[in-house]
Amino acid sequence: IGISSFRQCVGLTGDLNLPDQITTIGKNAFRDCDGFDGKLHLPKNLKTIGDNAFYMCIKLNGDLIIPESVTSIGSQAFISCSGFDGHLNIGSSVSYIGYSSFSGLFNLKGDLIIPDGIEVIKDQTFSNLGCDGKLKLPNTLTSIGSRSFQSSNFESNLELPKEIKSINSTSFMNCKFRGELILPPNLEILGHRSFYNCPYFHGSLIIPNKVKLIEFESFSFCFGFNGTLTLPSDTTVIKDGAFNSCFNLKGSLEIPKSVTRIGYDCFKNCSGFDGHLTLPQTLKSIDNRAFSYCSHLTGDLILPTELVELGDRVFLECCGFDGKLSLNCKITSILKSTFCQCSRLKGDLNLPDQITKIGENVFRECLCLDGKLYLPKNLKTIDNNAFSMCSKLNGDLIIPESVTSIGSQ
C-alpha cells in the first residue's frame, strides 16, 4: 500500500481488513482515517509499517496485533489510536520501533511485552499508554529515550534489563507503576526528571554504583517509596530537586564520600528520614533548601571541613536534630534561615572566625541551644532575628569589635 494511499478518507467506516499478501504499508497510508470504527486486521506476511501509517485512526478498536512477520514499525505509526481497548501484541521479529509509534493508546488491557531484539526505545514511543497488566522489557535493551513511557500506567513492578546503560530525560515521568523500581547494575546515565512524579512506586530505592551524576528532579515527588535510599558510591553531584518530596523514605541518609555538591531543594520535604545525616568531608557546596523540612533526621548536625558554600534555608525546620551543631568549615557567611527552627539542637554555638555575616532568621527559634555563644572575630553583620528566641544560650554575650551592624530583634 503506497504512500498516502487512503490518507484522510474520513468517510470509510467499519473494520479495516488488509489481505495477507501485503508486505508493506507505506507512509501516511491511512493517516487521519478517523471513520474506521471496527477492528484492524494486519496481513500475515506484513514486514514494514511506515511512518504515520495509522496516525489518528482514533476509532479502531479491539486488539492491536502486530504479526510475527513484521520487522519495522515507523515513527508515529499508531499515535493517538486511542480506540484500541484490547491487547497490544508486538511480534517477536520486530527489531525497530520509531518514535511515538504507540503514544496515546491509553485503553489497553493485559501485559505489554516488547520483543527481544529491540536495543533502543525511542523518544515517546509508549508515552500516555495505559495497560492493566505488566511491562516486560527485552533483555537486549541498552537505552531508553526521552519521554518514552511518560504518563503511562502499569499494574506492576518496573524491572529494567541488566544491559541498560542510559535512561534519558523524562523517560518515566508521571508514570503509575504500582510496585517496586529495580534499576540495572550497569546503569550509568540517569537523565533529568527520569522518574519525576511517579508516586506509586514503593519499597526501597537503590541507585546503582556506576551512576556518577544524579540529574535534577530525577525522583522528585516519588513519595510512594517507603524504604531506605542507597546512593551510588561514585556519584560526585546530586543535582537540584533530585529527591524533593520523597517524604516516605526512611532510615539514615548517608551522602557518599565522592559527592562535592548537593543542589537546591535536593532533599526538601523528605520528612520520613528518621536516622542520622552523614555528610562527606569532601563536600564543598550545599545549595538553597537542600534539606529543608527534613524534620525527623536526628543526632548531631556536622558540616564538612571542606564546605565553602552554604545556601539559604538549607536546614530550615529540621527540628529532629537533637545533638550538637558543628560548623568547623570554610564558609564565610550564613545566609537567611539556614538553621531556623532547628529547635532541638543542643550545646554551645561556636561560629568560625572567617564568617563575616549572619543572615536574617539564621538561628531563630533554636530553642534548645543551651551552651555558650561564640561569635566570629571577623564578623561584620548580624541581621534581623538572627538569634531570636534562642532563650537557653547562656554566659557572656560578646559582640566583636569588627561588627558594624546589628539588625532588629
Side-chain angles (χ1 to χ4, degrees):
I1 300 176
I3 295 172
S4 300
S5 294
F6 300 94
R7 182 171 180 171
Q8 292 183 319
C9 291
V10 296
L12 295 172
T13 61
D15 293 341
L16 178 51
N17 197 340
L18 303 178
D20 286 340
Q21 72 272 15
I22 290 174
T23 59
T24 301
I25 299 172
K27 180 178 180 180
N28 297 312
F30 295 94
R31 180 170 182 162
D32 295 319
C33 291
D34 56 11
F36 286 117
D37 55 1
K39 313 298 183 186
L40 172 63
H41 302 279
L42 293 172
K44 291 181 180 179
N45 297 307
L46 185 64
K47 293 184 177 180
T48 303
I49 301 172
D51 297 347
N52 307 299
F54 298 93
Y55 183 105
M56 293 287 289
C57 292
I58 59 175
K59 293 181 183 178
L60 286 170
N61 55 68
D63 296 333
L64 174 52
I65 299 175
I66 309 298
E68 291 293 320
S69 55
V70 173
T71 59
S72 176
I73 301 171
S75 297
Q76 302 186 105
F78 295 95
I79 191 171
S80 298
C81 292
S82 55
F84 287 113
D85 53 4
H87 293 77
L88 170 58
N89 293 340
I90 301 174
S92 60
S93 299
V94 173
S95 60
Y96 176 85
I97 303 175
Y99 71 85
S100 300
S101 296
F102 298 99
S103 178
L105 278 67
F106 49 75
N107 288 312
L108 298 173
K109 293 182 173 63
D111 299 339
L112 173 59
I113 300 173
I114 300 173
D116 283 336
I118 299 291
E119 296 182 1
V120 176
I121 296 177
K122 294 186 175 291
D123 297 352
Q124 295 182 271
T125 301
F126 297 98
S127 63
N128 295 293
L129 185 144
C131 285
D132 60 6
K134 300 176 181 178
L135 172 63
K136 176 68 170 63
L137 296 170
N139 292 324
T140 51
L141 194 63
T142 60
S143 179
I144 298 176
S146 297
R147 295 178 287 171
S148 50
F149 290 92
Q150 180 180 339
S151 301
S152 293
N153 300 336
F154 295 93
E155 299 288 329
S156 66
N157 295 338
L158 174 57
E159 182 171 359
L160 298 172
K162 293 180 180 179
E163 297 306 314
I164 288 182
K165 294 183 178 180
S166 67
I167 300 173
N168 289 316
S169 59
T170 64
S171 291
F172 293 94
M173 179 177 175
N174 297 328
C175 280
K176 295 180 180 178
F177 285 89
R178 300 178 186 274
E180 296 184 355
L181 172 61
I182 303 169
L183 296 172
N186 291 315
L187 186 65
E188 297 175 1
I189 297 172
L190 194 59
H192 70 266
R193 292 184 172 177
S194 46
F195 293 95
Y196 179 93
N197 192 36
C198 294
Y200 295 103
F201 282 126
H202 59 252
S204 294
L205 175 55
I206 301 171
I207 302 177
N209 283 330
K210 291 184 180 181
V211 176
K212 298 190 182 302
L213 175 66
I214 301 176
E215 278 286 0
F216 77 86
E217 297 185 339
S218 297
F219 296 95
S220 280
F221 302 102
C222 291
F223 48 77
F225 288 117
N226 56 2
T228 57
L229 172 64
T230 302
L231 296 170
S233 59
D234 293 332
T235 290
T236 56
V237 176
I238 306 173
K239 284 201 170 183
D240 307 334
F243 300 95
N244 185 4
S245 298
C246 292
F247 49 72
N248 283 312
L249 286 169
K250 294 179 173 64
S252 294
L253 176 54
E254 183 173 355
I255 307 299
K257 294 178 181 179
S258 53
V259 172
T260 59
R261 175 178 172 253
I262 298 174
Y264 72 80
D265 293 337
C266 192
F267 295 96
K268 181 181 177 182
N269 293 324
C270 289
S271 56
F273 287 120
D274 53 4
H276 291 80
L277 172 64
T278 304
L279 300 173
Q281 293 303 312
T282 53
L283 186 62
K284 294 184 177 181
S285 176
I286 306 175
D287 288 349
N288 300 347
R289 303 177 301 274
F291 297 96
S292 61
Y293 309 108
C294 290
S295 55
H296 289 92
L297 286 168
T298 64
D300 296 333
L301 176 51
I302 302 172
L303 298 189
T305 55
E306 297 300 313
L307 189 70
V308 293
E309 294 182 4
L310 184 65
D312 64 62
R313 294 167 284 177
V314 170
F315 296 100
L316 174 64
E317 292 193 38
C318 289
C319 52
F321 289 116
D322 54 2
K324 296 181 178 180
L325 172 62
S326 173
L327 292 169
N328 183 24
C329 55
K330 297 179 180 179
I331 59 173
T332 58
S333 62
I334 308 176
L335 303 180
K336 67 178 181 181
S337 302
T338 300
F339 301 99
C340 182
Q341 294 181 293
C342 290
S343 55
R344 298 179 68 194
L345 286 169
K346 297 180 175 68
D348 295 337
L349 182 52
N350 195 338
L351 305 179
D353 286 338
Q354 76 273 8
I355 289 176
T356 59
K357 178 180 179 180
I358 300 172
E360 183 178 321
N361 296 312
V362 166
F363 295 101
R364 180 173 180 167
E365 296 184 46
C366 289
L367 304 174
C368 289
L369 288 171
D370 55 359
K372 314 294 184 185
L373 172 62
Y374 300 95
L375 293 173
K377 292 180 181 179
N378 297 306
L379 185 63
K380 293 182 179 180
T381 304
I382 303 172
D383 277 349
N384 299 342
N385 301 296
F387 298 94
S388 176
M389 298 182 68
C390 292
S391 56
K392 292 186 179 180
L393 286 171
N394 54 67
D396 297 330
L397 174 56
I398 300 173
I399 308 298
E401 291 293 326
S402 55
V403 172
T404 58
S405 175
I406 300 175
S408 301
Q409 304 185 70

